[in-house]
Amino acid sequence: MKIEIWSDYACPFCYIGKRRLEQALEKFPHREQVEVKFKSYELDPNSPRDLNQDIHEILSDKYGVSVDEAKRMNQGIGQQASEVGLTFNFDKMIPTNTFDAHRLTHFAKTKNMDQQLAEKLLYAHFTESRHLGDHEVLADIAEETGIDRNEALSFLADETALAHEVRGDEQVAQQMGVRGVPFFVINQKYGISGAQPTETFLSALEKVWQEEHSTPVLQDLSGSDSQGAACSDGSCDLPDKK
C-alpha cells in the first residue's frame, strides 16, 4: 500500500494529520507493507522569506478578525496538537516562504532521508521556532538528519536545483483538484482530505486493504431460469430431441 501526502511546512494541520496517520499505522496490522511519501504543496508560494508580522497578525489579516481572536484560533489548533503529543509555539513561530524547505526535502529523498527530514522540519517550525527560510538553519536541520551540512548548503545555493520536482508535485495536486492540505492519496485511487481523526485513518486503511486484497466474487446475472447451454466437468448440455 502506498500513501502520498501533500503538505506544507507552514500548515499546522499537516503536522497534526501526519501524527494522526502515524498513530493509525501503529494499529494497522499490515504497517510493514505501507510506503509513505511526502509531496510538496505551498499554501502561499508568494510569501516572502522574511516577514514583519507574527503568525497571529498574519492570521488576523487573512481572515479579517482581531489579533486577539486570531490568538484564540491558534490556541484551539495548539490544543488539537497537544492531543497527539505535539507542542506548537505560535507566539515565537517564524512565518516564511517554504519553497527551499520543499526543495531540500526532495534532495533528502535522493538519500532516502526525506521522511526523517520532513519530521525535523515540522518540529523545527512549530515547536522550536526556527526560520525555515534561512539556508543556514535548513543546513543545520539537514545535518541533524544525517546529511552533510556543506552539501546541503551547496544544494540550497542553486535556486533551480530540484525546483522542478516541487512544481511537479504542486501541478499534480492541481490536476487532482486539491485545494487544501494535508491531502492523502492511497494507492493513487483513494483520497482523504484534512487532518482526520486517527480512527478515520485506520478505518480507511483497513477498507482499502480489504478491497485491494480480497478475492473478487462474481455476481451471477444469468437468472435462476436461465436457458443458456453450457459445458462443465467434461460434458455438455444437449438440446432435447423431439
Side-chain angles (χ1 to χ4, degrees), residues 116-201:
Q116 298 93 316
L117 181 68
E119 174 64 28
K120 285 187 176 294
L121 287 169
L122 288 164
Y123 183 79
H125 178 66
F126 287 103
T127 303
E128 298 180 319
S129 304
R130 297 164 78 178
H131 195 325
L132 295 194
D134 187 305
H135 285 188
E136 295 289 337
V137 172
L138 288 174
D140 287 341
I141 298 171
E143 185 176 40
E144 294 163 14
T145 307
I147 300 171
D148 182 85
R149 189 179 190 281
N150 291 328
E151 189 179 1
L153 272 177
S154 177
F155 164 78
L156 290 166
D158 181 358
E159 296 184 357
T160 64
L162 297 181
H164 180 74
E165 280 70 12
V166 177
R167 298 305 183 210
D169 282 353
E170 294 173 338
Q171 184 177 11
V172 172
Q174 184 178 20
Q175 292 170 347
M176 292 191 300
V178 177
R179 294 293 178 266
V181 288
F183 192 84
F184 306 80
V185 176
I186 306 177
N187 289 352
Q188 299 183 330
K189 291 172 60 178
Y190 311 88
I192 300 175
S193 179
Q196 298 292 334
T198 298
E199 294 73 19
T200 301
F201 281 120

Side-chain angles (χ1 to χ4, degrees), residues 23-195:
Q23 291 178 344
L25 285 170
E26 289 176 1
K27 301 177 181 179
F28 186 56
H30 309 288
R31 169 67 184 91
E32 298 303 319
Q33 298 181 57
V34 177
E35 177 187 18
V36 178
K37 291 294 182 181
F38 290 94
K39 300 291 186 177
S40 299
Y41 189 101
E42 295 172 274
L43 289 172
D44 186 2
N46 299 314
S47 174
R49 290 184 179 176
D50 299 293
L51 293 89
N52 296 321
Q53 293 179 300
D54 63 27
I55 192 65
H56 303 304
E57 293 168 337
I58 292 174
L59 196 65
S60 172
D61 289 346
K62 182 177 181 179
Y63 293 106
V65 299
S66 68
V67 172
D68 286 341
E69 180 61 23
K71 288 182 178 180
R72 285 192 289 271
M73 291 168 65
N74 282 329
Q75 287 173 356
I77 297 173
Q79 177 59 38
Q80 292 187 51
S82 67
E83 292 171 358
V84 290
L86 301 175
T87 300
F88 284 4
N89 292 318
F90 284 106
D91 291 340
K92 296 182 179 180
M93 204 170 289
I94 302 175
T96 187
N97 186 290
T98 60
F99 183 66
D100 284 339
H102 284 293
R103 287 201 303 120
L104 186 62
T105 306
H106 281 277
F107 179 66
K109 187 180 296 185
T110 66
K111 302 176 181 296
N112 294 318
M113 295 182 181
D114 50 316
Q115 292 193 49
Q116 298 93 316
L117 181 68
E119 174 64 28
K120 285 187 176 294
L121 287 169
L122 288 164
Y123 183 79
H125 178 66
F126 287 103
T127 303
E128 298 180 319
S129 304
R130 297 164 78 178
H131 195 325
L132 295 194
D134 187 305
H135 285 188
E136 295 289 337
V137 172
L138 288 174
D140 287 341
I141 298 171
E143 185 176 40
E144 294 163 14
T145 307
I147 300 171
D148 182 85
R149 189 179 190 281
N150 291 328
E151 189 179 1
L153 272 177
S154 177
F155 164 78
L156 290 166
D158 181 358
E159 296 184 357
T160 64
L162 297 181
H164 180 74
E165 280 70 12
V166 177
R167 298 305 183 210
D169 282 353
E170 294 173 338
Q171 184 177 11
V172 172
Q174 184 178 20
Q175 292 170 347
M176 292 191 300
V178 177
R179 294 293 178 266
V181 288
F183 192 84
F184 306 80
V185 176
I186 306 177
N187 289 352
Q188 299 183 330
K189 291 172 60 178
Y190 311 88
I192 300 175
S193 179

